[in-house]
Amino acid sequence: MNLFYEDVELGTSHTTPDHRITEADIADFCRLTRDHHPLHTDAEYARDAGFPGIIVHGLYGLSLMEGLKTELHLYDESSIASLGWDKVRFLKPLVAGDVIHVEMDFTAKRESKGRGIVTEAVRLLRGDEVVIDAEHVSLIRKRG
């Protein structure tokens, strides 16, 4: 699937395949971002803070939302830029072993200088439970 501005229908929903988070994923994100807070590296510290073990960085969860959404191939030939993430809420912690997926809906669209701006409601879910809720705005090409 490859959507251009004209193809986007408000209310349309898309769901990604599942993805399992691993301890190695969390460690890799720590290394890449230089965020080695003990909540993400020390299971005992995380347990003392009330979690079952080390937790996923909120920003890693947000990054996964974009990555999983990209695997849908909605904008392979039409994407110009991400204009930003708004209304981001980290609702529940994620831990290694959690299986997640993304659900997204098109909520708004408008033309801008010969291109299109599309707004998506995006949710990261563990089963039926929303873990991260956000809004994403994309700049995409029009046909022709």
Side-chain angles (χ1 to χ4, degrees):
M1 181 181 306
N2 191 42
L3 299 177
F4 289 82
Y5 176 76
E6 297 85 347
D7 304 320
V8 172
E9 293 183 29
L10 298 185
T12 302
S13 298
H14 297 276
T15 302
T16 70
D18 286 344
H19 171 76
R20 181 179 301 278
I21 297 170
T22 67
E23 284 190 27
D25 294 335
I26 299 168
D28 286 345
F29 195 82
C30 287
R31 183 182 52 77
L32 288 171
T33 61
R34 303 179 57 82
D35 179 351
H36 298 279
H37 189 281
L39 285 172
H40 313 299
T41 60
D42 182 336
E44 184 176 334
Y45 181 93
R47 281 192 293 277
D48 287 346
F51 300 104
I54 62 170
I55 61 171
V56 171
H57 304 70
L59 291 177
Y60 177 44
L62 187 63
S63 296
L64 278 172
M65 291 169 77
E66 181 64 21
L68 290 170
K69 196 166 60 79
T70 300
E71 290 180 350
L72 293 172
H73 302 285
L74 298 177
Y75 309 123
D76 281 353
E77 296 176 23
S78 59
S79 179
I80 298 171
S82 170
L83 298 180
W85 288 84
D86 299 309
K87 302 176 185 173
V88 177
R89 294 292 173 261
F90 303 113
L91 303 172
K92 304 280 183 176
L94 287 166
V95 297
D98 281 349
V99 176
I100 57 167
H101 68 278
V102 167
E103 292 179 357
M104 62 161 284
D105 311 305
F106 292 114
T107 59
K109 66 186 252 187
R110 67 181 173 85
E111 292 186 46
S112 176
K113 300 178 184 175
R115 299 175 283 187
I117 296 176
V118 177
T119 303
E120 310 154 345
V122 188
R123 296 163 304 282
L124 184 71
L125 292 98
R126 176 180 46 227
D128 293 331
E129 179 180 41
V130 178
V131 177
I132 302 175
D133 187 37
E135 181 178 272
H136 181 243
V137 181
S138 294
L139 181 64
I140 64 174
R141 290 181 171 84
K142 293 179 74 178
R143 289 199 175 275

